[in-house]
Every structure is written in structure tokens, then in C-alpha cells.
Amino acid sequence: MKTSEVFDGLIANLKVGDTATTVGSRRDEITKSLNKDFRSKDGDTGHKLMVGSYGRHTAIKGVSDLDMIYILPPSIRGDYASESGPRRVLERVRNDLKARYSNTDIRVDQCVVRVQFQSNAFKFEVQPAFANDDGSFDYPDTATESWKVTKPRAEIEATRECNSRTSTNMRHLARMARAWKNANGVGMGGLLIDTLVHRFFAQTNEYDSAGTGSFDLMVRDFFGFLMEEPDKDFYLALGSNQRVKVKARFQPKAKKAYNRCLQAIADEGKASANKKWREIFGTSVPLESVVKSARSFDNTEEFVEQKCPIDIRYTLTIDCTVTQNGWRPTSLRQMLRAKTPLLPNKGLDFTITGCDVPGPYDVRWKVLNQGDEAKRRNMIRGQIVEPNRGNGRHESTSFRGKHLVECYAIQDGIVVARDRIDVPISATTEDAT
């Protein structure tokens, strides 16, 4: 594939598409229910604003978290000015929506009312707020029992301005950055991504009018920009200058993406380049056409993106303990760092060594065999499977080749964290790479 074909396909596959119709319908239903109570107007769909990634038009296909401001009537501001006001207004919104969606999980969550739809796996976070003259909003916070200020319109305007100046490349890059974080388990929020993309374009005008034929260089330089960013606890958001928390370091995975970009660019036109782009951006990168009759193996690989929405918000870390009778158990990651060969006939216990997903979640694993030996034996595997030892997965080394193990944390039907580890099995110590 040519570079332009890769990125034309990627951009097309990342578009929200038909999802927008369902989102619009849900949004209007929620607004009607609230206007019926707060304004005594039946069927009115005004007084709302979609914010977050969806409101900035940087969301991608499979978006599951929808942020929405419901603009309260200014005449009732005084009724909710006391310390109990934030909770009372959120509870009123919750009760209105419970009356409309009696079988839906609806609850107050500090600053918003969370509406978890099951049929579409959508989670609307509805934030009642009073509009201010300067375009900002006052929103309720039950933790501090006070009203705080948010400026989503300024963030939307800054996104719109940058996108116009860069010939729509700002939103293209922001969407590709989301595909990268979802494919590689980078715990970053949407506002942080858009802020970093905005900062990238602020320090270069090289790609302001670039077409998809130059997107390989643009994403290379973007990941180079990310990996050189100093460690910070927060950034100032584009437009609003409000603090955006950095949940976890993104620089190491940005460096991996940068190196993969270099390899993909060097291999342009080869199947290996397409593979590298898919490692960076996931299954939204179009596949090269494959002649089915030429295959001598069953391609049994499954992709979690085709089973669940992906919205990586948390971090997950896995490791593997390598065991054999008579030998001390060893960490696979330590072996990889030391370039110690992993030989056949070893026991492998994959476990979660770190996870910051709050509350309960389900765990799924994927064990993919790669390379000529896996194809010859017709043992690609790659299905999404349940744990078989606690939350972990027990496997064993059986034949040489490259293997890949992934782990997914799934909450409310959405993949919210993921990690992967390479498992290179050598036949002899000389086979080690």
C-alpha cells in the first residue's frame, strides 16, 4: 500500500459515522426529559451542549463516553446556592432521567449524572450547569459542596481554530492519537490528547497543509514530540487553560510508536510497513488484500475492537513468570531486557502486576502465535479468552517463533485498559534475538 492509501483508509475507518445518529437521538431524549421538569416545556430539545471529545469533533468510531452539559434556567440559580445545592440539583436531574429510563443504571457521580445505556454501551455524563456571561459554566461538585467553573466553549473554539489553520489535520491527528492510545493501552484522556496535538501544531507549521501522503512524517514527528515531553503532573488545556491531569507517563509508549514509524517509513510499499502501522494504530489501519487460497492455515485471530468498544482511560501492566522444574522462577520482562533466550518446555504464568481501574472489571486474554512455525502447525490461535488461573493465564512454550499475549480490563462492556507482552521462543540459545 502507498502511504496515502494507508492513511486515507485509517482516517475513514476512524470516523464516528452512523453512531452520530444514535448519539443525537439519546441526547435529545435526555434534554426533553429535563426541559419538561426545569422549564415545563414538553418536547423541547434546546438548552444543551455536547462537550468533551464528541463536542470538539475529535472522537473516533466506537466512542462510548459522551459528555453533555444541560444548561439550567438562570432563574433558579439562587435556589441551589447553598452547600446542599450541588447535590440537590444533581439528584433532581437523576430523578428526572430515572423517570424516563426506569431500567437504566443512572446515578450521581460527584459532578455529573451518569447514564449507562446497555443497548449501545453508551455512557452519557450529564452535567447540569448555569451559563455565565463570559461563555463559561458553573457546575455542581458534591465533593466540595460548591459550584466550580468549566470552559468547554473555549476548548471547542481553540480546536476549531487550530483545525481550520491546519487544513483539518488537527482533528485527523487527534483521532489517530486516540487510535494509538486505544491500541497500545496508553492511559490518556481525550482533553489531554487534544491539548498535546494543539501544542504540537503550535511549534511547527510544516504540516499545516499536508495531505495524507505526508501523514507518515506527521505522525512520526508527533510521536517524537511526545516522547521528548518532560514529565508533568498536568497541562493547561487548549483554549480554557484549565488544568488537565496526566494520569500516567505516555513517553515510553510514544517512543515505541516513533521507532515503529521509522520502520514503517523505511519499508514503504511492503507488507511489513502495513503491519507496523497496524501495531501503532490498531485494526483501523486497512489490511493488505490476501489471496485466501494461498493460505495453508486457519486465521483464527480475533480482535477485541470487534467485540467491545475501546476507550482506554486507565493503566494495566502484565508480566509473566517463567518456570521449569529445577530452575528459579524468572520474570519474562527481565529476561527480555537482559536478552536471555526463552526456550521451549517452560511454564508461563501471565499475571496482572498493576491496574488502576476503579471498581469491578472483567479480564480477558489473547494468546497469538506468529511466524512460519505457527502457520505450518495451523496453530495461530488469537481468540479472546477468559482467564484460566485466577485473573491470570497459564500457558507453556512449545515451539519457536514470535508470540504475543494481550490482556484487557473490561468495565461496563468497554475495554478501559490493556497491555501486551512479546513472547519470543527460541529453539536454541543461538536462535535468540
Side-chain angles (χ1 to χ4, degrees), residues 39-60:
R39 289 181 165 85
S40 301
K41 291 184 178 180
D42 213 349
D44 183 5
T45 60
H47 313 291
K48 85 279 187 181
L49 177 67
M50 295 301 295
V51 295
S53 298
Y54 195 87
R56 294 188 297 274
H57 299 287
T58 52
I60 61 175

Side-chain angles (χ1 to χ4, degrees), residues 48-121:
K48 85 279 187 181
L49 177 67
M50 295 301 295
V51 295
S53 298
Y54 195 87
R56 294 188 297 274
H57 299 287
T58 52
I60 61 175
K61 186 176 181 179
V63 60
S64 57
D65 270 24
L66 288 309
D67 299 314
M68 170 184 167
I69 285 182
Y70 174 70
I71 304 171
L72 296 165
S75 59
I76 66 170
R77 187 188 284 255
D79 297 340
Y80 296 97
S82 67
E83 289 184 353
S84 65
R87 179 166 296 280
R88 285 189 292 111
V89 76
L90 286 165
E91 289 176 346
R92 181 173 172 181
V93 169
R94 179 200 61 196
N95 293 341
D96 288 343
L97 297 180
K98 283 293 286 184
R100 172 62 181 83
Y101 304 106
S102 58
N103 297 320
T104 299
D105 181 14
I106 301 174
R107 63 186 67 180
V108 173
D109 188 0
Q110 186 173 336
C111 304
V112 299
V113 175
R114 191 182 72 179
V115 184
Q116 181 66 62
F117 293 109
Q118 295 300 320
S119 57
N120 308 107

Side-chain angles (χ1 to χ4, degrees), residues 380-432:
I380 297 295
R381 298 182 63 186
Q383 296 91 345
I384 310 298
V385 296
E386 295 184 358
N388 62 5
R389 184 168 292 183
N391 266 344
R393 185 80 194 173
H394 177 76
E395 299 285 339
S396 61
T397 60
S398 57
F399 57 89
R400 66 175 293 184
K402 294 182 179 179
H403 309 265
L404 174 70
V405 174
E406 287 195 321
C407 181
Y408 316 101
I410 303 173
Q411 190 174 64
D412 296 325
I414 301 166
V415 178
V416 295
R418 69 191 296 178
D419 194 22
R420 71 175 67 168
I421 187 170
D422 292 317
V423 188
I425 302 173
S426 302
T428 65
T429 54
E430 287 76 18
D431 290 325

